[in-house]
Amino acid sequence: TAGTVEDYLKDSAARLQAVRRSYFNLKDEAMRTELDILSDRFKKISAIVKEDPKDFKKARRYLNTMLSSLETIVSQSVKLFKVPEKSEEVNESLEKAKEGLVLLRQSADNQIDKLHENNLLELDVELEVLKKTLVSRGLLDESNINDNKD
């Protein structure tokens, strides 16, 4: 329902804001940039879901995973940045964390694409149903349909 969607997105936005509070504790510009991009992607996914609540189920599964991973990556990275004498292991972990943020961004882009593709598919199906209905009612000549196909 719309209330559930709104409530979920509000709670998710609060989770993202909590992560963003650690922004300046991420002592790596590339990580901060990825966090900015992920915040933007979250807003895009939220807008798509608000516009078409049928996308909520798919988006919710993705956002649960994304936010959980983001919370872990950022909180652990902040702890590692606080280590005064960073060992090779700590530096490697920070690099992996940065890679994790890149993977989250790529997955967010893919999720946005999938949500858009879903809408395109729904439109294609609706147009096919419309054409068949019009033909069956004698309101459209079937030969006209074939002439307009790509």
Side-chain angles (χ1 to χ4, degrees):
T1 64
T4 306
V5 172
E6 286 293 324
D7 292 343
Y8 177 83
L9 293 175
K10 189 176 180 179
D11 291 345
S12 296
R15 286 176 67 188
L16 181 61
Q17 279 307 110
V19 170
R20 288 193 58 80
R21 285 189 198 101
S22 298
Y23 187 84
F24 290 108
N25 291 322
L26 290 173
K27 304 297 182 190
D28 182 282
E29 187 62 34
M31 290 179 89
R32 289 194 299 258
T33 299
E34 289 298 331
L35 184 55
D36 286 337
I37 294 169
L38 282 166
S39 297
D40 177 67
R41 299 308 190 267
F42 172 81
K43 289 176 189 170
K44 286 181 180 180
I45 292 169
S46 295
I48 291 167
V49 170
K50 283 179 186 175
E51 191 174 299
D52 185 2
K54 288 182 283 188
D55 291 327
F56 177 56
K57 191 173 182 179
K58 290 178 193 157
R60 182 180 61 196
R61 263 194 314 258
Y62 170 74
L63 289 173
N64 284 341
T65 302
M66 178 250 216
L67 288 169
S68 179
S69 295
L70 184 62
E71 288 164 339
T72 301
I73 290 169
V74 170
S75 67
Q76 294 303 314
S77 296
V78 166
K79 289 177 186 174
L80 292 175
F81 278 118
K82 289 180 180 176
V83 173
E85 301 287 324
K86 292 178 185 51
S87 67
E88 189 175 322
E89 243 179 13
V90 168
N91 287 325
E92 286 173 10
S93 291
L94 287 168
E95 278 304 308
K96 287 179 184 176
K98 192 184 317 183
E99 289 171 22
L101 292 175
V102 170
L103 290 173
L104 284 174
R105 174 182 36 88
Q106 291 168 344
S107 70
D109 289 338
N110 290 337
Q111 181 66 32
I112 290 167
D113 289 345
K114 282 185 178 185
L115 292 171
H116 286 306
E117 286 170 11
N118 181 40
N119 292 340
L120 292 174
L121 181 63
E122 285 178 24
L123 178 60
D124 288 345
V125 169
E126 185 61 33
L127 290 173
E128 282 304 311
V129 169
L130 175 63
K131 288 175 187 176
K132 288 178 181 175
T133 302
L134 293 174
V135 167
S136 72
R137 293 184 181 166
L139 299 171
L140 184 65
D141 186 355
E142 198 162 352
S143 64
N144 291 344
I145 295 173
N146 296 330
D147 292 343
N148 292 329
K149 282 195 172 178
D150 293 339

